[in-house]
Amino acid sequence: QVRLVESGGGLVQAGGSLRLSCEASGRTFTSTTMGWFRQVPGKEREFVAGITWNGGSTDYADSVKGRFIISRDNAKNTGYLQMNSLKPEDTAVYYCSAGLMTVARMRERGGVYWGQGTQVTVSS
């Protein structure tokens, strides 16, 4: 069992940066793939980024590639999403997810465990 808690969301102007954190509890987090997703009301949840258990492989949605960086610190049981050059269209609730799976599977279906989400609002 893995419990995930996101933090770091907020209001930022276009062009600004935010760093989201995903703190995990549970012994298996360090062996799981982690992903970040986002959702806007009325739209489907979309994949943002994913990272393998050891950070050896990452994947990004085309819409955030070159602007967002996913990372993790297994010693702290925490994952991160550094978001730079933010745009108004990045406004969403951001969720972290984890599961024993490949990054490709995470991208397609999401993980087994989910956090409660953190709101990110980018003003123009």
Side-chain angles (χ1 to χ4, degrees), residues 29-34 51-55 70-74 78-80:
F29 174 75
T30 57
S31 60
T32 63
T33 288
M34 190 188 79
I51 187 169
T52 50
W53 70 274
N54 62 353
I70 189 172
S71 63
R72 65 191 297 165
D73 185 342
N74 286 341
T78 302
Y80 305 97

Side-chain angles (χ1 to χ4, degrees), residues 83-101:
M83 305 187 295
N84 302 318
S85 301
L86 283 162
K87 304 175 181 179
E89 51 263 43
D90 294 318
T91 295
V93 177
Y94 283 72
Y95 299 89
C96 68
S97 183
L100 291 171
M101 59 186 63

Side-chain angles (χ1 to χ4, degrees), residues 1 18 74 77-78:
Q1 187 75 15
L18 282 175
N74 286 341
N77 262 14
T78 302

Side-chain angles (χ1 to χ4, degrees), residues 44-71:
E44 289 189 359
R45 182 182 63 205
E46 66 170 341
F47 172 82
V48 175
I51 187 169
T52 50
W53 70 274
N54 62 353
S57 180
T58 59
D59 189 23
Y60 295 91
D62 287 344
S63 59
V64 307
K65 203 170 291 184
R67 299 188 297 122
F68 290 10
I69 301 171
I70 189 172
S71 63

Side-chain angles (χ1 to χ4, degrees), residues 27-41:
R27 296 179 180 181
T28 61
F29 174 75
T30 57
S31 60
T32 63
T33 288
M34 190 188 79
W36 286 95
F37 294 76
R38 64 188 183 187
Q39 189 168 25
V40 175

Side-chain angles (χ1 to χ4, degrees), residues 106-123:
M106 173 66 72
R107 180 183 186 124
E108 291 173 6
R109 302 190 180 187
V112 175
Y113 307 104
W114 291 87
Q116 83 291 346
T118 186
Q119 176 71 47
V120 171
T121 303
V122 184
S123 63

